[in-house]
Amino acid sequence: MTADAAPPAADPHALNRQVTQLSVIVAVILIALKAFALGASGSVSILASLADSALDLAASLATFFAVRWAAQPADDDHRHGHGKGEAMAALVQSGLIFASAVFIAWEAVARMVEPRPVTGGSWSVGVIVISSLLTAWLIWRQSRAVAATGSMAVAADRTHYAADMAANAVVLIGVVSGAWLSAPGLDAAAGLVVAVWLFWGAVGLLRESADHLLDKEAPDADRIAVTTAVLADPRIFGVHQLRTRMAGTTLMIQMHVDLDPTLSLMAAHDIVVEAERRILAVRPGADILIHPDPHGPQTAVPASTQ
C-alpha cells in the first residue's frame, strides 16, 4: 500500500453512504452562497456557477440514492446484484451536466451580445474562494472513498466536483474582469468557458457509464492479473473463454480452465476452488465462475462399454 492510499474500509458501503451525504450537504451550502453572490453582483459567470451547483445537488442526490440501492444484496429479480445502479447514477449525472452546459452557454452568448455591468465584486470573489475550499475538501474525501471502495458513482461525482474547481478559477477571472476592470464581456466569456468545460466533463462521464452498462471488458491489467493467478497452479494447463464485466464495484469473471481429464470430480473441484481463492487475493470481492474442461484429446470410449 502506498503512503497516500486510503486504508481499507471496514464497511465500503458505509463509507460510500457517508461521502455521498457530505456531497449533498456541500452542494446545498454552495447553492446558498452563490445565490447570495448572484444577487449582489449580477455576474453571468456567477450565474453559470450557481446553475452548475444546482445540478451538482441533483447529481449528488442521484448518487446518494444510487450507492444505497447498489449496496443491496442480490435477490430473485437481480441475481447479479444491484451494482449497475451506480452506472445509472453516472448516466444521470452526465445528462444533467449536458443540460447545465447548454443553459450556461446560451446565457453567456446573450450577455456577450448585450453586456451587463457586474457589481459586488468583493462579495463574489469571497464566495468563489469559500466555494473552492469547500469543493477541494469534498474532493479529498471522495478520493479517499474511491481509493477504499472503487465506487463508480462516487468517482463520477468526484469528477464533477473536480471540474467545478477549474470552473471556479474561470469564474473568478470573470468576476474580477467584470467588476474591477470594467470588462463585462470577459465575464460572459468566462461563463462560456465554464460551459465548454462542463460539456467535456459530461462526455467523459457518459462514455464511462455507457461502458459499464454495456458490459465492457475489464482493463487488460485486471485480465492479466486474473489469468496469472489462475495459471500459478501447474495442474491448470490453460485458460480460455475468459469474460469479465463490472457490476458496480464487483468484478464479474467467467472462464474455462483446462485440467487433466483423468482427475476425479472432487479433485477438479478442489483445483477450481484454489484458483478462485488466488483470484480473490488479487481482486477481492470478485464474483467468479470457473468451468473445468478436459485438456487434450479425449480417449475414445470402447464400443463394448457404451
Side-chain angles (χ1 to χ4, degrees):
M1 180 182 296
T2 59
D4 57 349
D11 184 353
H13 297 308
L15 182 56
N16 285 336
R17 289 193 296 269
Q18 182 185 52
V19 78
T20 54
Q21 184 176 13
L22 288 176
S23 178
V24 172
I25 293 172
V26 169
V28 171
I29 294 174
L30 293 181
I31 288 174
L33 289 172
K34 292 176 183 179
F36 170 78
L38 178 63
S41 68
S43 164
V44 68
S45 53
I46 290 290
L47 173 63
S49 187
L50 174 60
D52 183 39
S53 291
L55 289 179
D56 281 348
L57 176 59
S60 293
L61 285 171
T63 303
F64 177 87
F65 291 110
V67 298
R68 285 156 177 76
W69 190 78
Q72 296 180 15
D75 54 34
D76 291 340
D77 293 327
H78 304 87
R79 300 302 297 273
H80 293 287
H82 301 78
K84 288 188 181 294
E86 293 199 5
M88 288 297 297
L91 190 65
V92 170
Q93 286 200 32
S94 65
L96 291 173
I97 298 171
F98 273 125
S100 177
V102 171
F103 168 75
I104 294 169
W106 180 274
E107 186 67 20
V109 171
R111 293 289 183 96
M112 287 180 179
V113 175
E114 297 182 7
R116 303 177 192 177
V118 177
T119 59
S122 298
W123 286 109
S124 299
V125 169
V127 165
I128 293 301
V129 170
I130 294 172
S131 298
S132 297
L133 293 174
L134 276 174
T135 303
W137 174 76
L138 177 61
I139 291 172
W140 174 72
R141 292 294 300 268
Q142 290 173 326
S143 296
R144 290 180 59 84
V146 171
T149 69
S151 170
M152 180 181 179
V154 175
D157 210 29
R158 179 186 61 178
T159 300
H160 197 174
Y161 280 100
D164 287 353
M165 282 292 293
N168 282 342
V170 177
V171 169
L172 189 61
I173 294 172
V175 171
V176 170
S177 61
W180 295 326
L181 301 181
S182 299
L186 290 179
D187 172 62
L192 188 59
V193 170
V194 172
V196 173
W197 182 271
L198 291 174
F199 184 86
W200 182 253
V203 170
L205 282 179
L206 180 62
R207 183 185 299 113
E208 184 178 359
S209 58
D211 286 345
H212 196 99
L213 292 171
L214 295 175
D215 291 335
K216 182 180 179 180
E217 283 286 338
D220 289 341
D222 287 334
R223 291 166 56 84
I224 292 172
V226 167
T227 303
T228 301
V230 172
L231 295 178
D233 188 340
R235 295 173 296 177
I236 299 178
F237 299 106
V239 173
H240 57 282
Q241 295 187 31
L242 172 62
R243 298 178 181 179
T244 60
R245 62 189 178 93
M246 295 298 299
T249 58
T250 301
L251 176 61
M252 316 289 289
I253 305 170
Q254 300 177 16
M255 72 179 73
H256 289 227
V257 295
D258 297 330
L259 302 179
D260 186 337
T262 64
L263 289 173
S264 67
L265 178 59
M266 181 59 70
H269 172 267
D270 291 342
I271 292 174
V272 167
V273 169
E274 291 175 13
E276 291 175 347
R277 289 171 179 166
R278 291 194 299 275
I279 294 173
L280 289 173
V282 297
R283 281 307 306 254
D287 187 296
I288 308 164
L289 179 61
I290 300 178
H291 177 79
D293 284 340
H295 176 65
Q298 299 184 41
T299 304
V301 179
S304 60
T305 64
Q306 292 183 1

